[in-house]
Amino acid sequence: MKFLSYNIQYGVGLDGRFDPERIARSLEGADIIALQEVTRNFHRNGNADLVAIFRDLKPQYFCAFWPACEIDAGSAIESGRAVDRRFQFGNMILSRFPILSTRLLPLPRTRTISPINPQRGATEALIDTPSGPLRVYSVHLDHVYPAERIAQISYLKARAISYGIEGGAMTGGADFGFDELPHPDDFVLMGDFNMVPESPEYCAMAGTRDAFYGRSLRLENPVDALAHLGRLTPDSYSWVDPADHGKRMHLDYCFLSSGLVPRLRDAWIDFDAVGSDHLPVGFELA
């Protein structure tokens, strides 16, 4: 199975052009896809409904979308009827395999005066893969304040690791006529974490390195797929400054629960993609 994460910057590429079709081409071959900065009713891309657009561009994929942030974008009474227009900003998951359940995990945040600080979140999808049920999270963390990212990471890890205790989207579904959902231990966290390798936030997610043993596999610490395979180097990057293409940072990651590590076969960054200011980051499981 091939997994891919892509912050699509509301469909606008490094050339400033809105082009969802070229983003879709960068997603070819992936079985499970996590998208961030998916919008509806955003003036910067002509008020496009990117959820509907990617549903149409990927008709053979099941999908889950949750807006972490939603605000009014010109609702009005028209011809005697209330018309809701909402700006939505969130994360999407596309899957070749059925999605058994989904929910939004709103992440901790604090109020800013400047710069902008929208509500962040993780879209959770319980997916019925050929290898059994698997939890996948499309994640987008705060872009300004390291302490806020650490708080968000702590919350996110607690939800992912304690899933079996909390029960996900629903338990006791027989009362509503549904089969009981599975509660798999393994999970994948993919997205724009807005942190650089070995930063305090990165270590809060992956654990700190021991001088001799490096990073041990521990239940409490998800594993960076690129780093585990030696593909994360000082030259790695997943974000390019649209105003200065020479300014680059590595901000996007695919983290796996430790139980999935024996199945990890490959990991990569797609340096050819130009459909966003970010690059797709992916990995493959046996």
Side-chain angles (χ1 to χ4, degrees), residues 159-191:
R159 301 288 72 71
I161 293 168
S162 63
Y163 183 88
I165 296 174
E166 296 180 356
M170 179 188 289
T171 54
D175 288 351
F176 279 7
F178 294 106
D179 293 334
E180 185 67 13
L181 294 168
H183 300 98
D185 291 330
D186 284 322
F187 59 86
V188 173
L189 300 162
M190 299 190 287

Side-chain angles (χ1 to χ4, degrees), residues 110-241:
T110 53
R111 179 181 175 184
T112 58
I113 305 304
S114 177
I116 188 172
N117 185 17
Q119 174 66 54
R120 306 286 182 161
T123 293
E124 174 191 272
L126 176 62
I127 299 176
D128 188 17
T129 80
S131 301
L134 177 68
R135 290 180 283 129
V136 176
Y137 299 81
S138 182
V139 179
H140 194 188
L141 301 189
D142 176 76
H143 69 302
V144 174
Y145 191 31
E148 186 144 295
R149 290 194 288 272
I150 289 174
Q152 291 171 345
I153 286 167
S154 177
Y155 180 86
L156 183 60
K157 287 174 64 175
R159 301 288 72 71
I161 293 168
S162 63
Y163 183 88
I165 296 174
E166 296 180 356
M170 179 188 289
T171 54
D175 288 351
F176 279 7
F178 294 106
D179 293 334
E180 185 67 13
L181 294 168
H183 300 98
D185 291 330
D186 284 322
F187 59 86
V188 173
L189 300 162
M190 299 190 287
D192 177 4
F193 286 77
N194 276 311
M195 62 189 183
V196 296
E198 302 305 325
S199 63
E201 311 98 277
Y202 183 93
C203 292
M205 172 62 79
T208 54
R209 295 178 60 86
D210 178 78
F212 185 79
Y213 289 101
R215 282 192 169 88
S216 54
L217 293 180
R218 309 180 73 87
L219 181 63
E220 66 187 31
N221 293 328
V223 176
D224 179 351
L226 277 169
H228 188 77
L229 294 178
R231 310 285 171 78
L232 186 64
T233 71
D235 295 326
S236 296
Y237 64 93
S238 68
W239 173 80
V240 180
D241 188 341

